[in-house]
Amino acid sequence: MRCDAGPRRGVGHLVRCLALAEEFLARGADVTVFGTVERLDWAVAELAARGIPLLPGPDSAAELVEAARRHHLDVLVLDSYELDPAGAGALRAAGVFTLAIIDGDSRGQVADLYLDQNFGAEQPSLGSGAELPAPGSGAELPAPGSGAELPGLGSGAELSGLGSRAGLPGRLLAGSGYALLRDTVISARPPVVPPATEVSRPRVLAFFGGTDAVGAAPVLTRVLVATGHPMDLTVIVGRPEIEAQVDDVAPGRGQIIRPVPPTTELPALITGADLVISAAGTSTWELCCLGAPSALVCVVDNQRESYTRVVRHGLAAGLGELSALTTAGVAGRAARATAARTLHGLLSSPQRRATLAARAWSTVDGQGRTRVVDAVLNATHPANA
């Protein structure tokens, strides 16, 4: 698996690769992660605990092929916005089965298999993963708006226009049915939808990825305080400078703010919270699987489409975009006031929280990684499928 993580990159790519790695390991495969993990001792420890070697990441197409040959790889998973897009095609040409994990944009990668785990990705729109290069043919999938439907793998249909080596048609695994979740999340999934609970001081959890690369925690902590509602707020602070800013926020009456560092106990914190505030990234699917009533903020541009779909379908409440919440002047004050009203409504209404939890829980069943590995093994070892 080829991915990177760090204070500025975040850990989303590594976390979903780790989930996929756990499934491959359970099937008897040998797994290695190639990449850079900067200033994240807990993430390195997570790999070590599973016996997964972490080796320096090859970057260029030639380096990826050389690494694949040196380590006798059958499959290489690419999960990066920064790698040379030509790497996938070069690996395929070298006989290495390639899975590209994408978020809408394929970046021109020519892979054997594409995975877009975002909710609604099986219904492509402009700029989405619908525009996937066709391996070997140079053709593209039907363009958005052409009237051609692009079925998800769950329908059993093939994607027209995607050819591949060895006569295997290329496939797009699309939608939250393929969400990649770690063992700790799957094991914490409640057997039934969490019920509505009336509490005078809700337990609130706020976290924004493993590093909070964009500094969302202090902003949302201030918005939560502005609701004026009593709460017991736990904030995951990924970096010392974030912790210092959260410490500077003065709680209101009946409010407690408790900053804590990144922890492997996050699933337990999520299931123990009455409301969770998070970024609209890969953690969205963890929240859904765990049936957590959540409010999301869109912190980077490539989350916008998924954020809009999730909020529109009622899987989580929407707090808007971080850029709007940090804007100065009248516009910024209005955005923060709107977000505070949304949060106050959730804090004061157990029924609203329960409705979000039920929709989220029923959308992500925790079996996505099983489906992805099934697809890889079906393609690479069809005789044993």
Side-chain angles (χ1 to χ4, degrees):
M1 301 189 174
R2 176 67 183 89
C3 63
D4 298 298
R8 296 300 173 184
R9 284 187 172 114
V11 297
H13 299 286
L14 178 62
V15 167
R16 60 190 183 186
C17 280
L18 179 60
L20 196 57
E22 288 176 335
E23 184 66 26
F24 273 116
L25 289 170
R27 308 287 187 99
D30 295 317
V31 178
T32 298
V33 169
F34 298 89
T36 300
V37 180
E38 302 174 286
R39 294 166 50 194
L40 295 170
D41 292 344
W42 63 269
V44 174
E46 288 283 289
L47 293 171
R50 292 159 180 79
I52 301 173
L54 174 63
L55 302 179
D59 294 316
S60 70
E63 290 169 342
L64 284 165
V65 171
E66 194 279 330
R69 287 173 172 162
R70 179 165 19 104
H71 294 277
H72 308 288
L73 301 181
D74 299 300
V75 177
L76 191 51
V77 177
L78 301 174
D79 191 354
S80 173
Y81 301 147
E82 301 170 12
L83 289 178
D84 182 352
L91 287 162
R92 293 184 66 257
V96 180
F97 188 91
T98 307
L99 167 63
I101 302 180
I102 64 175
D103 293 291
D105 183 7
S106 70
R107 300 174 55 250
Q109 298 177 95
V110 182
D112 291 287
L113 196 64
Y114 301 88
L115 166 62
D116 187 340
Q117 65 174 4
N118 292 293
F119 178 77
E122 67 274 27
Q123 302 169 353
S125 60
L126 186 62
S128 76
E131 300 174 12
L132 296 175
S137 69
E140 291 189 349
L141 292 171
S146 66
E149 294 296 325
L150 300 182
L153 184 69
S155 67
E158 305 292 349
L159 291 181
S160 61
L162 274 177
S164 95
R165 64 179 172 80
L168 291 171
R171 306 289 292 272
L172 170 64
L173 312 183
S176 54
Y178 296 100
L180 303 177
L181 300 169
R182 294 166 293 159
D183 288 341
T184 53
V185 175
I186 296 170
S187 62
R189 176 175 166 84
V192 296
V193 182
T197 305
E198 183 76 53
V199 288
S200 58
R201 189 167 72 184
R203 296 162 297 176
V204 181
L205 173 67
F207 72 100
F208 304 91
T211 64
D212 192 5
V214 295
V219 177
L220 272 299
T221 298
R222 288 190 288 270
V223 172
L224 280 160
V225 167
T227 65
H229 198 287
M231 72 184 77
D232 188 335
L233 171 61
T234 298
V235 185
I236 307 295
V237 290
R239 294 176 280 138
E241 55 268 37
I242 298 296
E243 182 175 7
Q245 293 177 54
V246 170
D247 281 336
D248 285 341
V249 180
R253 184 176 181 181
Q255 297 176 338
I256 298 172
I257 302 175
R258 183 183 301 105
V260 300
T263 172
T264 57
E265 300 302 315
L266 186 59
L269 290 176
I270 291 172
T271 55
D274 298 298
L275 179 65
V276 180
I277 317 301
S278 188
T282 55
S283 57
T284 300
W285 320 125
E286 297 182 358
L287 297 174
C288 287
C289 181
L290 296 174
S294 308
L296 303 179
V297 58
C298 177
V299 302
V300 290
D301 290 347
N302 63 20
Q303 292 178 357
R304 186 173 294 121
E305 186 170 356
S306 179
Y307 165 85
T308 300
R309 287 172 171 169
V310 166
V311 171
R312 182 188 302 138
H313 285 81
L315 308 185
L319 301 177
E321 300 198 14
L322 184 63
S323 58
L325 295 174
T326 56
T327 298
V330 175
R333 289 195 295 272
R336 292 187 290 273
T338 298
R341 284 194 296 272
T342 297
L343 288 169
H344 188 277
L346 292 169
L347 291 167
S348 58
S349 173
Q351 189 54 53
R352 289 188 191 181
R353 299 196 300 269
T355 298
L356 292 175
R359 289 176 180 168
W361 184 89
S362 64
T363 300
V364 178
D365 64 3
Q367 299 305 306
R369 72 186 206 185
T370 299
R371 299 180 183 109
V372 173
V373 173
D374 282 346
V376 172
L377 296 182
N378 287 343
T380 56
H381 298 80
N384 298 325

